[in-house]
Amino acid sequence: MLGGTALMGAVSGAVQSAQSAAIATGAFTPDLEIELRAVPDQIPLYRGAPTHVWRYRAKVIKGDERAVSHQPGSPLGPVIRVHRGTRVRVHFINEVSQPSVVHWHGLLVPEAADGHPRFAVGPGGRHVYEFEVINRAGTYWFHPHPHGMTGPQVYAGLTGLFIVSDDEEQALSLPAGEHDVSLVIQDRSFTRDNQLQYIGSGPGMMGMMSSMTGFLGDHIHVNGRPDYMLAAERRPYRLRLVNGSNSRIYKLAWHNGTPLTVIGTDGGLLAAPVNRPYVTLAPSERIELWVDFSSRAAGEELNLVSLPFVASSGGGMMGGGMMGGGGPAQGSAFPVLKVRMGQGAAVSEKLPGKLASIPALHPEQAHNLNTPRPIRVTASGMRWSLNGRLFEMEGVARDEVVRFGSTEVWEFINEAGMGMMGSMPHPIHVHGVQFRVIDRRVHPGAMAAWRSVSEGYVDEGWKDTALVMPGERVRVLMRFEHYPGLFLYHCHNLEHEDMGMMRNFLIKA
Ligand code: C2O
Ligand code: CU
């Protein structure tokens, strides 16, 4: 159904048959029970023919109806809002023509609920997810995770938000209700008859090249809509920015240079607000901003833009900042969205100086501080890989086993100039944990690219994804304290993930 490719029709055989539903266990009593369907649909986006999409539709079967909302006019999935401690059961029903599975990105859930590709169900299949929400208040999201097909399925529209609140956050009285706005940023390309175009996995050299780069579209959509405009009151807002793009990285700033006040990252609120000239947002990362529009004039317009940056350290096939999927190269400038101030009176509100309690960073708690576990970006033939290995459905190497309850340092390493492949940015994501960034180092030869984005990193809080630029090494601290089992770590450039830049790791009880 996606213009120009046969992707959406192919169904691989190696999945559980339809109706092989996991049976809800008796021991778990949910507070909230949701039916979540992945369905084909069509929606008018541009003048002319409606656009065929795949989307999540949800309804509450038990519990608070207000927990699920769909944004009118948006092809994206629902926003699910829950308080920390809520026990959730989701009945997933796959009504699209490929195997699929739902991953709750950033949420700490048991192995069986984490959306590992081995739990994908075929067309007509169902899967039941059960978990208690133990995460801090924050902006999490969900998307498909079947092996080899995550990119095209997210691209087709399968994306939803999972927003968690908790008591600590509610005591702050941050902007709420219509003043708390989620903004999912994605790049898309279209055929002349308004159909989504996904070139990434096409046959031949062009397909191969754009899979190596990752898909890059030429239109920016926010919450699934082109030319997104937020009609705002003159008062403070909480903006939750989510990069839901397959591969594109954004360097987000106000067009007039007003600094950004960041209050949260992937894993929720920071200890205190921090200011940045711009924020760097790689695929799957979230940044929460507190934005005060009270000093803006009635009717004034503000533009959130993505500034240009250098995406490569030069050399190799990836060195020229080449195109992927026909769209403008990684690092190109884009308008992202507009905010238009209303005519009402200005309202001022104070942002608290202290937001949340975050434990001090203690890298010495790790048993391997002096010998961090290396997660090295490698190239295996014409594919990106991790430590020289491609994804294997059940495979775990001996050096991919960690002890339940242990604290470790992992080092994501993206060496500059990897021979023929050159070097490019990779956002590395780990399931089953939220981690803290200890430090970043960069190869002197890769400084130009690094300096063009590094002021926009927000490493002060909890993270589940870290962008690793060409020539960069990032050390992160994590404790495997939530659930044992088989989890994933991978590049969140979805074309890289689909081509095998993903591995299991085992948290061994
Ligand atoms: Cu958002 Cu394993 O992915
Ligand atoms: Cu990658």
Side-chain angles (χ1 to χ4, degrees):
M1 57 153 266
L2 293 187
T5 77
L7 269 167
M8 308 308 269
V11 176
S12 96
V15 291
Q16 298 174 36
S17 63
Q19 314 308 332
S20 72
I23 304 303
T25 58
F28 184 91
T29 319
D31 308 303
L32 178 68
E33 207 163 343
I34 294 171
E35 180 186 278
L36 179 70
R37 294 182 303 138
V39 297
D41 202 353
Q42 34 180 297
I43 188 155
L45 287 179
Y46 292 94
R47 188 192 305 265
T51 301
H52 292 265
V53 298
W54 286 359
R55 67 196 304 198
Y56 288 124
R57 304 294 284 169
K59 66 168 192 249
V60 172
I61 353 187
K62 182 195 152 196
D64 188 352
E65 297 258 326
R66 291 165 306 177
V68 168
S69 58
H70 292 90
Q71 303 195 41
S74 171
L76 297 190
V79 182
I80 300 175
R81 287 175 186 270
V82 301
H83 201 78
R84 188 177 190 173
T86 305
R87 277 160 309 189
V88 181
R89 178 181 291 154
V90 179
H91 301 261
F92 171 60
I93 307 172
N94 180 7
E95 294 179 10
V96 298
S97 60
Q98 287 181 353
S100 198
V101 63
V102 185
H103 171 54
W104 312 94
H105 184 119
L107 291 183
L108 306 163
V109 301
E111 174 187 32
D114 195 49
H116 190 282
R118 73 189 190 282
F119 299 128
V121 292
R126 292 162 169 260
H127 190 85
V128 177
Y129 298 85
E130 291 176 339
F131 53 89
E132 179 177 340
V133 177
I134 60 173
N135 284 71
R136 308 171 68 234
T139 309
Y140 308 93
W141 65 300
F142 57 98
H143 60 76
H145 219 301
H147 182 48
M149 290 167 284
T150 296
Q153 292 188 11
V154 171
Y155 189 72
L158 293 171
T159 297
L161 295 179
F162 199 103
I163 293 180
V164 178
S165 62
D166 62 19
D167 296 343
E168 184 184 42
E169 175 213 38
Q170 305 238 289
L172 295 171
S173 302
L174 293 171
E178 64 202 277
H179 308 124
D180 173 356
V181 181
S182 305
L183 301 163
V184 179
I185 306 169
Q186 297 172 310
D187 58 336
R188 296 289 181 263
S189 293
F190 291 87
T191 61
R192 280 161 60 191
D193 58 347
N194 295 342
Q195 301 313 307
L196 285 162
Q197 197 159 26
Y198 184 71
I199 303 176
S201 303
M205 198 55 185
M206 265 318 289
M208 182 60 92
M209 293 299 280
S210 52
S211 288
M212 287 165 58
T213 317
F215 175 85
L216 296 166
D218 53 12
H219 290 59
I220 303 296
H221 283 189
V222 174
N223 296 342
R225 304 289 314 179
D227 304 317
Y228 189 89
M229 213 266 299
L230 174 68
E233 293 164 45
R234 294 191 292 147
R235 53 156 293 126
Y237 274 75
R238 177 180 189 170
L239 301 185
R240 303 172 187 257
L241 306 173
V242 180
N243 185 348
S245 306
N246 284 29
S247 298
R248 195 174 285 288
I249 299 162
Y250 302 94
K251 177 176 174 178
L252 299 167
W254 295 113
H255 74 288
N256 60 8
T258 307
L260 303 168
T261 302
V262 180
I263 59 170
T265 49
D266 301 344
L269 292 173
L270 301 177
V274 297
N275 285 326
R276 291 288 188 275
Y278 61 85
V279 293
T280 304
L281 202 65
S284 91
E285 286 186 308
R286 288 86 69 207
I287 289 266
E288 293 191 27
L289 301 178
W290 186 85
V291 192
D292 190 358
F293 295 132
S294 66
S295 59
R296 299 285 156 202
E300 189 178 340
E301 268 186 20
L302 277 178
N303 293 303
L304 189 71
V305 299
S306 187
L307 301 171
F309 61 91
V310 182
S312 146
S313 61
M317 293 168 71
M318 301 293 110
M322 51 175 318
M323 323 251 284
Q330 186 74 279
S332 302
F334 278 100
V336 174
L337 62 90
K338 249 193 206 5
V339 184
R340 185 176 298 149
M341 303 307 146
Q343 302 294 329
V347 174
S348 52
E349 244 172 38
K350 267 216 162 332
L351 171 64
K354 186 178 175 330
L355 297 170
S357 51
I358 291 195
L361 188 65
H362 284 299
E364 69 283 359
Q365 290 173 346
H367 69 82
N368 67 340
L369 178 59
N370 298 318
T371 52
R373 196 179 283 273
I375 309 294
R376 209 176 280 277
V377 172
T378 46
S380 303
M382 293 285 279
R383 295 157 185 241
W384 297 106
S385 52
L386 293 166
N387 291 329
R389 303 181 186 112
L390 293 164
F391 182 63
E392 301 164 89
M393 192 59 85
E394 316 263 343
V396 191
R398 243 195 306 184
D399 59 15
E400 292 173 315
V401 179
V402 303
R403 283 236 150 261
F404 182 65
S406 67
T407 303
E408 293 203 353
V409 179
W410 287 20
E411 187 170 32
F412 306 143
I413 304 168
N414 186 6
E415 268 155 12
M418 302 208 318
M420 195 180 86
M421 295 277 276
S423 181
M424 61 172 292
H426 301 274
I428 305 296
H429 169 50
V430 187
H431 288 214
V433 289
Q434 287 282 337
F435 56 74
R436 302 282 297 279
V437 174
I438 302 171
D439 56 13
R440 294 170 179 269
R441 279 182 298 152
V442 62
H443 188 276
M447 272 301 186
W450 192 78
R451 282 213 184 96
S452 75
V453 299
S454 58
E455 274 181 273
Y457 287 143
V458 185
D459 288 339
E460 283 88 342
W462 291 99
K463 300 278 296 162
D464 53 53
T465 305
L467 176 60
V468 191
M469 286 294 283
E472 187 173 32
R473 298 166 161 252
V474 185
R475 289 197 307 161
V476 302
L477 183 70
M478 50 183 111
R479 191 190 308 247
F480 308 100
E481 60 186 340
H482 304 293
Y483 299 101
L486 195 65
F487 292 91
L488 297 162
Y489 63 101
H490 60 88
C491 182
H492 220 288
N493 176 315
L494 298 182
E495 285 68 41
H496 293 181
E497 173 184 338
D498 280 346
M499 289 186 87
M501 195 180 185
M502 172 158 79
R503 291 291 302 172
N504 290 314
F505 74 105
L506 178 66
I507 304 178
K508 199 171 176 178

